[in-house]
Amino acid sequence: RVQLMAEAGASWPGIVKDPTSDGAFHINKGLRLARELLLQVNQLGLPTASDFMDTVTPQYFADLLSFASVNAQSEMLRELVSGLSMPVGLRSPPA
């Protein structure tokens, strides 16, 4: 599993939103770095999986992932994944 974005409340928002870990939020750089990471893992012949937490970033990574999961309580994410060409799991948040 490749964790590209952190869950809400985490101290660091993840490589996509803050790739330099300095609070500058260079999202374009983060998207490029995350794609490069996924490409390198794919070149090793390993399948990749990730959690989608918003409706924007999946378009940047869908071609490089073998599996994804989304929060089952989000109607917007459930609708998004219905159009993806990969297996998607619906997860419920921890109680």
Side-chain angles (χ1 to χ4, degrees):
R1 180 174 136 200
V2 181
Q3 191 68 30
L4 302 173
M5 293 174 33
E7 294 284 338
S11 60
W12 179 58
I15 191 170
V16 171
K17 291 185 177 179
D18 190 15
T20 52
S21 298
D22 62 0
F25 294 93
H26 297 290
I27 296 173
N28 286 338
K29 181 178 182 178
L31 290 170
R32 284 192 302 275
L33 284 173
R35 273 197 66 81
E36 288 174 21
L37 172 66
L38 289 169
L39 280 167
Q40 290 174 6
V41 173
N42 276 249
Q43 289 171 348
L44 294 172
L46 299 171
T48 55
S50 191
D51 296 327
F52 290 148
M53 298 179 197
D54 62 42
T55 59
V56 176
T57 54
Q59 65 184 322
Y60 296 102
F61 308 122
D63 60 324
L64 297 171
L65 295 171
S66 303
F67 179 83
S69 66
V70 298
N71 182 338
Q73 293 181 333
S74 170
E75 181 179 349
M76 190 169 34
L77 289 173
R78 288 194 317 264
E79 290 177 11
L80 167 84
V81 300
S82 69
L84 294 176
S85 299
M86 72 173 74
V88 178
L90 300 176
R91 60 177 168 70
S92 40

